[in-house]
Amino acid sequence: MIKKHIIEKNTVKKFDELGILIVMIALFIFLSIASPFFLKIENIQNLLLQSVFVMLVGFGMMFVLTIGGIDLSVGSILGYSGAVTGMIIASGGNIFLGILAGLGTGAAFGLANGLLITKLKIAPFLVTFAMQSVVRGILLLSTTNGAVSGFAAEEFTYLAQGYFLGLPIPVVITVIVFVILLFLFKFTSFGRNVTAIGSNREASFLSGVSCDKITIGVYMLSGLLAALSGILLAARLTAVQSEMGSGYEMDAIAAAVIGGTSMAGGKGSIIGAIIGAVILGMISNGLDLLSVNQFYRQIIVGAIIIIAVALERFTSLKKERV
């Protein structure tokens, strides 16, 4: 009976991924017809670059949502982690040390989120909303005298501006991260426990799963991936403004939800998060090419989130009745 349930669940997930893949292809075809510039190699490369920064944060958000949580602090963590790396390199520090410090900063804030949620039993929304404000405040203090800059060393900027086999380096890094996370989510006990906790936390606890440890690990992973995105974005922009990363939390949620991850927990898709991020990138890129105000993007993304959540909820209720 359990085996049958797992097979049915995997089949539903495949149909979800196929559905959003069809949406992505339809959008691709529409933009190819609507704009003669869309299919140009330079534009496709730019589209991929626009997508990967959201994609990396979206991967972490997928894990968080699957466990039944939410992380509103990722945008601020992204910005401050990039600033930490930039400040260390600008002060003459080792590039590798700067990157490690940036990644460590993201993981540390993720650890703080996880500990506050599990040990003090505070709702994830409240914890991460407060952390968003705290980290953004620290970034504002760090940029009081202007943007963090002076770290445009060739070895560092290559991470975001270089190419490997014709692909931008951030895309290559994202592919590597995707493979690692796909293995982690699908073929390890950690990934299975993430889904199990999101489906039924109490049952998972009674089955011997260390729910608190898994939750802390998920939030650390979310912070780490936000930091990686922030470091790559800093390397691309060669400066960190006080508002860098602002709004990325909503884009990450949108990428994950569009990709089939349930905001109620218990269901997630790494592949879906990729497709969701690419769809968001195509919407933004298409609006630019068609000379449409980017403010419409916020309306479109908000509407897509509502529709995706409504559809997911509708199908869940339908399955419950059956």
Side-chain angles (χ1 to χ4, degrees), residues 63 92 203 223 242 315:
F63 275 89
S242 60
T315 53

Side-chain angles (χ1 to χ4, degrees), residues 11-94:
T11 303
V12 169
K13 185 186 287 187
K14 286 177 181 177
F15 276 121
D16 286 345
E17 290 172 356
L18 180 60
I20 56 170
L21 181 60
I22 291 171
V23 170
M24 186 184 76
I25 292 171
L27 185 57
F28 185 89
I29 293 171
F30 169 76
L31 290 174
S32 301
I33 296 170
S35 173
F37 303 105
F38 181 74
L39 290 178
K40 288 185 178 293
I41 294 176
E42 296 84 359
N43 185 64
I44 297 299
Q45 288 178 337
N46 183 52
L47 170 60
L48 289 173
L49 273 174
Q50 282 181 321
S51 301
V52 294
F53 301 111
V54 172
M55 204 176 288
L56 287 168
V57 187
F59 288 156
M61 190 64 74
M62 189 282 297
F63 275 89
V64 171
L65 292 177
T66 301
I67 208 171
I70 194 166
D71 191 350
L72 299 177
S73 66
V74 286
S76 297
I77 291 174
L78 182 156
Y80 186 60
S81 298
V84 168
T85 298
M87 286 187 286
I88 290 175
I89 296 173
S91 64
N94 183 274

Side-chain angles (χ1 to χ4, degrees), residues 44-59 78 159-160 168-175 177 225-226 228-230 232-233 236 248 273-274 277-278 280-281:
I44 297 299
Q45 288 178 337
N46 183 52
L47 170 60
L48 289 173
L49 273 174
Q50 282 181 321
S51 301
V52 294
F53 301 111
V54 172
M55 204 176 288
L56 287 168
V57 187
F59 288 156
L78 182 156
L159 286 175
I169 295 295
V171 175
V172 176
I173 292 173
T174 303
V175 170
V177 171
L225 290 169
L228 176 59
S229 182
L232 292 174
L233 193 56
R236 185 187 182 198
Y248 267 70
I274 289 179
V278 172
L280 292 178

Side-chain angles (χ1 to χ4, degrees), residues 73-191:
S73 66
V74 286
S76 297
I77 291 174
L78 182 156
Y80 186 60
S81 298
V84 168
T85 298
M87 286 187 286
I88 290 175
I89 296 173
S91 64
N94 183 274
I95 292 172
F96 183 67
L97 179 64
I99 292 172
L100 280 181
L103 293 174
T105 298
F109 282 122
L111 174 62
N113 280 334
L115 288 173
L116 288 169
I117 290 166
T118 56
K119 303 307 177 185
L120 298 183
K121 307 301 179 185
I122 305 174
F125 178 88
L126 292 176
V127 169
T128 59
F129 181 71
M131 189 64 72
Q132 176 193 53
S133 181
V134 169
V135 181
R136 183 62 62 185
I138 297 172
L139 179 56
L140 287 168
L141 287 172
S142 302
T143 55
T144 300
N145 298 321
V148 176
S149 58
F151 54 84
E154 186 178 345
E155 297 87 348
F156 181 60
T157 57
Y158 179 76
L159 286 175
Q161 299 176 17
Y163 290 84
F164 179 75
L165 299 178
L167 289 174
I169 295 295
V171 175
V172 176
I173 292 173
T174 303
V175 170
I176 294 170
V177 171
F178 161 71
V179 172
I180 294 171
L181 293 179
L182 185 66
F183 177 79
L184 183 69
F185 189 63
K186 285 187 171 290
F187 303 106
T188 68
S189 58
F190 177 82

Side-chain angles (χ1 to χ4, degrees), residues 149-303:
S149 58
F151 54 84
E154 186 178 345
E155 297 87 348
F156 181 60
T157 57
Y158 179 76
L159 286 175
Q161 299 176 17
Y163 290 84
F164 179 75
L165 299 178
L167 289 174
I169 295 295
V171 175
V172 176
I173 292 173
T174 303
V175 170
I176 294 170
V177 171
F178 161 71
V179 172
I180 294 171
L181 293 179
L182 185 66
F183 177 79
L184 183 69
F185 189 63
K186 285 187 171 290
F187 303 106
T188 68
S189 58
F190 177 82
R192 288 191 292 272
N193 288 336
V194 166
T195 303
I197 292 171
S199 297
N200 193 321
R201 190 179 187 88
E202 187 177 350
S204 299
F205 176 76
L206 293 174
S207 299
V209 177
S210 181
C211 296
D212 284 0
K213 285 183 179 179
I214 297 295
T215 300
I216 292 169
V218 164
Y219 278 93
M220 285 184 70
L221 179 62
S222 179
L224 184 67
L225 290 169
L228 176 59
S229 182
I231 292 166
L232 292 174
L233 193 56
R236 185 187 182 198
L237 300 175
T238 66
V240 176
Q241 304 283 349
S242 60
E243 290 303 309
M244 190 174 96
S246 180
Y248 267 70
E249 57 280 346
M250 290 308 299
D251 283 347
I253 292 171
V257 171
I258 291 169
T261 297
S262 172
M263 291 194 74
K267 178 186 168 189
S269 171
I270 294 277
I271 296 172
I274 289 179
I275 300 172
V278 172
I279 287 175
L280 292 178
M282 283 200 289
I283 291 171
S284 183
N285 184 260
L287 291 176
D288 280 338
L289 292 175
L290 299 175
S291 300
V292 179
N293 194 318
Q294 276 289 336
F295 289 141
Y296 283 104
R297 181 181 184 276
Q298 294 177 290
I299 298 172
I300 294 169
V301 171

